[in-house]
Amino acid sequence: MRNSEKYVPCEREQAFLDSVQNAKYNREIITGIGKFITGDVPEDMKTFYSQLELDALAELDGSDRDVAARMPVKITRHYFEQAKISRPMQVLIKASPKETMDLDGAEDPGKQMDYSPVEGLIHKYELGLIYVASTCSAHCRFCYREELIAKKEVTRPDGTVAPKGLAQISELIPYIKQHNQLVAGNNGRHPETGREKLREILISGGDPLVLGNKNIATWLAALAEAGIESIRIGTKELAFFPDRFDDTFFDMLDKFHDTYPEINLRFMVHFNHPDEFLKMAPDGSYVENAAGGLLWRDNTRRAVRKLRSRSWINVDNQAPIIYGINNDPDALRIMQRELKRNGVENHYFFCGRDIVGHKAFNVPIEEAWRILNESQKGLSGVEAHARLSITHYKGKTEVAAVTNEAIPGLPGAENGVVIFKLLRSAADAPERAKVTMVGRNPEAIWFSGYDDRVLMDEAGLYSLYGIELFGHDKAA
Ligand code: SF4
């Protein structure tokens, strides 16, 4: 039963909200593969898919392998303009029959519903993630929120089945306040879950920037009033529609800062490939900037500059390494260097999640580790901050090392080992930095690829599922 009680902003909050202006945007979005199939798109977009590609997609329409039912098709003109000459961007945005050749995968990747005490909130660590929108300006084919965006039914821990819902302020704010009160009254730990104070919220979706300024402002102010100290906004709008970062948006952010000067804002942006933000010559090469570095697309550069000119805003990039898009050390090297040079931190690269259809996208774990490390050769220390992360049910985990050499005397380690390090346990901060070591399997694209070769499991990534150590004698 959802809370129907209306959320009432306080005076300070209302004064801020009254000052916010909405604006209208024309993203020139094409939604649905059907429009490409029927030719109901602008003239210059008609050849974006070949006839062969469209025929193959049309054949799957309405079948078990319907590609658009797995993940709806959507593209902005801004993205299209560069995708015309960028193969990686085409792979990111164009639907392909390959996506549904193998529909293996989790209906709720990371079992997020286990961590959802309130609809639309995923509460892990001292951080909460909230879904405030169920779409983005365009859709990445590999999307790790495909179940939310395609509105698929998901089984909850209590056995009920329903699509994931969005967070409501009237439900979320009382939850945050109550959680933090209980923590404060119990020596810094929640009496039942043991969790710490909820002090950060990641506003996510979908993309929060598809919402109007007033709507975003309502979330920011309500979270600040509830005692949240740091607010992150997860967005790919710098790649899909950078003009969204207009004067009305910055005016809203500035007024928010004036009203709540202690709140840190962090934009978690999502570039997969440098083609998404660098100027490209018709032959696909980047354009040297005579003053240093490479030239950026003007509106993306303007948006990043405006974000970074505000000392209370941080900008971090994080992206999965996806087959055919950015499994390319040279591209990732250029991306990390250019982002850092322009004030964007390189935070995480991810191994793709076990979403439905993940085999069409995911690069094997050991290969992703090699690509990232190869890409960081030639980068300076500050440019090479990013780590390779893979999200385990227990929490965010780093692929910390992959060795080529055997560990002498250790059965199962003849071909080298992979070391996972738990970065944050979803349940309990003290578990940080515990490790798990497995024998190598170059084919593995998920943790399960190592089930038969676990050598050491201090982090409990496998014992959680009753998986025993390699060579363990069951009869003993
Ligand atoms: S931007 Fe993120 S949430 Fe949106 S489609 Fe891409 S991966 Fe999914």
Side-chain angles (χ1 to χ4, degrees):
M1 188 70 152
R2 303 201 69 164
N3 183 4
S4 56
E5 221 170 277
K6 201 167 177 290
Y7 175 78
V8 182
C10 68
E11 218 172 287
R12 170 169 71 163
E13 217 173 337
Q14 193 60 56
F16 159 61
L17 296 177
D18 288 344
S19 72
V20 176
Q21 297 293 315
N22 271 341
K24 283 201 165 32
Y25 305 99
N26 184 6
R27 294 175 169 88
E28 298 180 65
I29 293 171
I30 304 293
T31 307
I33 192 64
K35 293 210 171 129
F36 287 98
I37 292 174
T38 58
D40 186 20
V41 291
E43 204 51 43
D44 60 341
M45 290 187 173
K46 285 187 175 159
T47 52
F48 192 49
Y49 284 86
S50 71
Q51 195 52 49
L52 215 62
E53 288 171 330
L54 291 175
D55 290 347
L57 289 165
E59 208 171 300
L60 300 177
D61 186 26
S63 74
D64 290 353
R65 285 196 46 211
D66 189 328
V67 173
R70 191 197 68 82
M71 180 69 193
V73 169
K74 201 171 175 190
I75 182 169
T76 56
R77 172 153 293 275
H78 175 84
Y79 206 80
F80 164 77
E81 288 298 343
Q82 191 105 320
K84 281 189 296 192
I85 52 169
S86 164
R87 181 72 191 143
M89 289 172 73
Q90 287 174 22
V91 175
L92 184 143
I93 210 79
K94 283 175 66 176
S96 159
K98 283 188 206 147
E99 295 170 23
T100 55
M101 266 163 61
D102 185 337
L103 287 170
D104 190 22
E107 65 162 15
D108 178 26
K111 290 204 172 67
Q112 290 192 328
M113 295 317 290
D114 287 5
Y115 295 103
S116 183
V118 172
E119 194 71 33
L121 165 71
I122 312 299
H123 183 176
K124 293 183 177 181
Y125 338 108
E126 70 297 330
L127 172 76
L129 179 153
I130 56 174
Y131 295 135
V132 300
S134 56
T135 187
C136 305
S137 288
H139 291 162
C140 315
R141 300 312 303 165
F142 60 78
C143 178
Y144 42 90
R145 300 271 165 76
E146 46 91 30
E147 80 289 351
L148 177 76
I149 289 179
K151 300 186 172 52
K152 292 178 187 166
E153 298 205 307
V154 171
T155 310
R156 283 117 198 287
D158 66 2
T160 56
V161 180
K164 287 186 180 175
L166 298 182
Q168 305 294 333
I169 287 183
S170 57
E171 293 175 340
L172 184 77
I173 300 303
Y175 173 83
I176 294 172
K177 286 183 175 167
Q178 193 196 27
H179 174 87
N180 286 352
Q181 265 169 17
L182 288 169
V183 169
N186 190 50
N187 296 320
R189 290 276 177 170
H190 190 281
E192 283 160 31
T193 64
R195 290 215 177 94
E196 298 168 30
K197 181 184 174 193
L198 192 44
R199 55 186 168 80
E200 281 194 49
I201 289 285
L202 167 60
I203 304 179
S204 182
D207 196 324
L209 291 199
V210 301
L211 304 178
N213 293 334
K214 281 179 184 284
N215 202 336
I216 298 170
T218 306
W219 277 109
L220 293 177
L223 293 171
E225 291 290 345
I228 295 299
E229 299 163 12
S230 189
I231 302 174
R232 305 189 201 180
I233 297 179
T235 180
K236 195 171 168 69
E237 202 69 336
L238 283 176
F240 288 152
F241 185 63
D243 288 343
R244 175 66 183 80
F245 293 80
D246 66 344
D247 289 347
T248 66
F249 182 63
F250 283 107
D251 186 54
M252 181 274 285
L253 293 180
D254 289 341
K255 284 177 174 145
F256 173 73
H257 179 62
D258 290 345
T259 313
Y260 303 98
E262 297 306 320
I263 308 292
N264 170 250
L265 274 188
R266 200 170 266 277
F267 281 79
M268 308 305 293
V269 301
H270 179 183
F271 289 116
N272 293 87
H273 193 283
D275 286 6
E276 293 180 312
F277 61 89
L278 291 181
K279 278 193 177 153
M280 289 167 72
D283 69 356
S285 62
Y286 301 130
V287 185
E288 294 281 340
N289 182 350
L294 299 168
L295 283 182
W296 283 47
R297 298 177 84 181
D298 295 332
N299 41 8
T300 318
R301 166 99 159 167
R302 195 165 47 239
V304 168
R305 288 239 147 155
K306 284 188 173 178
L307 286 168
R308 291 303 293 122
S309 68
R310 289 159 169 83
S311 62
W312 39 277
I313 291 180
N314 296 90
V315 187
D316 296 78
N317 189 59
Q318 48 186 26
I321 295 180
I322 302 290
Y323 186 74
I325 298 176
N326 59 3
N327 55 334
D328 173 353
D330 293 337
L332 292 188
R333 185 177 309 113
I334 291 168
M335 181 163 94
Q336 290 169 89
R337 187 179 289 153
E338 276 301 313
L339 288 178
K340 181 66 187 178
R341 197 175 67 81
N342 284 273
V344 180
E345 292 298 328
N346 294 293
H347 188 43
Y348 282 130
F349 284 97
F350 296 113
C351 293
R353 290 195 174 191
D354 58 338
I355 59 163
V356 170
H358 64 283
K359 286 181 186 156
F361 307 107
N362 288 10
V363 172
I365 293 169
E366 294 166 31
E367 175 64 358
W369 184 88
R370 186 196 69 77
I371 290 165
L372 179 59
N373 282 280
E374 204 55 43
S375 80
Q376 291 180 333
K377 289 180 183 167
L379 294 184
S380 70
V382 290
E383 291 167 336
H385 276 171
R387 292 179 284 184
L388 181 65
S389 167
I390 177 166
T391 304
H392 189 274
Y393 178 66
K394 273 198 93 166
K396 196 154 272 170
T397 304
E398 181 184 359
V399 184
V402 177
T403 74
N404 288 315
E405 293 191 13
I407 298 185
L410 179 62
E414 293 78 8
N415 299 318
V417 298
V418 179
I419 298 174
F420 294 113
K421 172 180 163 188
L422 197 58
L423 293 177
R424 340 175 61 184
S425 163
D428 200 3
E431 284 202 300
R432 178 185 164 84
K434 293 196 169 169
V435 302
T436 289
M437 188 163 72
V438 295
R440 285 192 60 176
N441 175 8
E443 309 291 317
I445 54 174
W446 196 244
F447 288 101
S448 53
Y450 299 105
D451 282 357
D452 61 348
R453 55 194 79 195
V454 182
L455 305 177
M456 189 272 267
D457 193 18
E458 178 188 64
L461 304 183
Y462 290 88
S463 60
L464 179 71
Y465 302 108
I467 294 166
E468 296 178 337
L469 295 185
F470 178 78
H472 181 89
D473 184 354
K474 288 193 174 72

Coordinates of all heavy atoms in Angstrom, one line a residue, residues 70-71 136 139-147 149 355 361:
R70 N 12.4 -6.2 -25.6 CA 13.5 -6.3 -24.6 C 13.9 -5.0 -24.1 O 14.1 -4.7 -23.0 CB 14.7 -7.1 -25.2 CG 15.7 -7.5 -24.1 CD 17.1 -7.9 -24.8 NE 17.7 -6.8 -25.3 CZ 18.5 -5.9 -24.7 NH1 18.6 -6.0 -23.4 NH2 19.0 -4.9 -25.3
M71 N 14.1 -4.0 -25.1 CA 14.6 -2.7 -24.8 C 14.1 -1.7 -25.8 O 14.5 -1.8 -27.0 CB 16.1 -2.7 -24.7 CG 16.7 -1.4 -24.3 SD 16.3 -0.9 -22.6 CE 16.8 0.8 -22.6
C136 N 15.1 7.6 -20.7 CA 16.3 8.5 -20.9 C 16.0 9.2 -22.2 O 15.1 8.8 -23.0 CB 17.6 7.8 -21.0 SG 17.9 6.8 -19.5
H139 N 18.1 5.6 -25.7 CA 18.3 4.3 -24.9 C 19.6 3.5 -25.4 O 19.7 3.2 -26.6 CB 17.1 3.4 -25.1 CG 15.9 3.9 -24.4 ND1 14.6 3.5 -24.6 CD2 15.8 4.8 -23.4 CE1 13.8 4.1 -23.8 NE2 14.4 5.0 -23.1
C140 N 20.5 3.2 -24.5 CA 21.6 2.4 -24.8 C 21.1 0.9 -24.9 O 20.3 0.5 -24.1 CB 22.6 2.4 -23.7 SG 23.0 4.0 -23.0
R141 N 21.5 0.2 -25.9 CA 21.0 -1.1 -26.1 C 21.4 -2.1 -24.9 O 20.7 -3.0 -24.6 CB 21.5 -1.8 -27.4 CG 21.1 -1.0 -28.7 CD 19.7 -0.6 -28.7 NE 18.8 -1.8 -28.6 CZ 17.5 -1.7 -28.3 NH1 16.9 -0.5 -28.1 NH2 16.7 -2.8 -28.3
F142 N 22.6 -1.8 -24.3 CA 23.1 -2.7 -23.3 C 22.5 -2.3 -21.9 O 22.9 -2.8 -20.9 CB 24.6 -2.6 -23.2 CG 25.1 -1.2 -22.9 CD1 25.0 -0.7 -21.6 CD2 25.6 -0.4 -23.9 CE1 25.4 0.6 -21.3 CE2 26.0 0.9 -23.6 CZ 25.9 1.4 -22.4
C143 N 21.6 -1.4 -21.9 CA 21.1 -0.7 -20.6 C 21.0 -1.7 -19.5 O 20.3 -2.8 -19.6 CB 19.8 0.0 -20.8 SG 19.1 0.7 -19.3
Y144 N 21.6 -1.4 -18.3 CA 21.5 -2.3 -17.2 C 20.2 -2.0 -16.3 O 20.1 -2.4 -15.2 CB 22.8 -2.2 -16.3 CG 23.3 -0.8 -16.2 CD1 22.9 0.0 -15.1 CD2 24.2 -0.3 -17.2 CE1 23.4 1.3 -15.0 CE2 24.7 1.0 -17.1 CZ 24.3 1.8 -16.0 OH 24.8 3.1 -15.9
R145 N 19.4 -1.1 -16.8 CA 18.1 -0.8 -16.2 C 17.0 -1.2 -17.2 O 15.9 -0.6 -17.2 CB 17.9 0.7 -15.8 CG 19.0 1.1 -14.9 CD 18.5 1.0 -13.4 NE 19.7 1.1 -12.5 CZ 20.2 2.3 -12.2 NH1 19.7 3.4 -12.7 NH2 21.2 2.3 -11.4
E146 N 17.3 -2.2 -18.1 CA 16.3 -2.5 -19.1 C 15.0 -2.9 -18.5 O 13.9 -2.7 -19.1 CB 16.8 -3.5 -20.1 CG 17.6 -4.7 -19.5 CD 16.6 -5.9 -19.3 OE1 15.7 -6.0 -20.0 OE2 16.9 -6.7 -18.3
E147 N 15.0 -3.6 -17.3 CA 13.8 -4.0 -16.7 C 12.9 -2.9 -16.3 O 11.7 -2.9 -16.4 CB 14.0 -5.0 -15.6 CG 14.4 -4.4 -14.2 CD 15.8 -3.7 -14.2 OE1 16.6 -3.9 -15.1 OE2 16.0 -3.1 -13.2
I149 N 13.1 0.3 -17.7 CA 12.8 1.1 -18.9 C 11.7 0.4 -19.8 O 10.8 1.0 -20.3 CB 14.0 1.5 -19.7 CG1 14.8 2.5 -18.8 CG2 13.8 2.0 -21.1 CD1 16.1 3.0 -19.4
I355 N 22.2 -8.8 -17.1 CA 20.8 -8.4 -17.6 C 20.4 -9.5 -18.6 O 21.2 -10.2 -19.1 CB 20.8 -7.0 -18.2 CG1 21.7 -7.0 -19.4 CG2 21.1 -5.9 -17.3 CD1 21.5 -5.9 -20.4
F361 N 26.4 -8.4 -25.1 CA 27.1 -7.2 -24.8 C 28.4 -7.3 -24.0 O 29.3 -6.6 -24.1 CB 26.2 -6.3 -24.0 CG 24.8 -6.0 -24.6 CD1 23.7 -6.6 -24.1 CD2 24.7 -5.2 -25.7 CE1 22.5 -6.4 -24.7 CE2 23.5 -5.0 -26.3 CZ 22.4 -5.6 -25.8

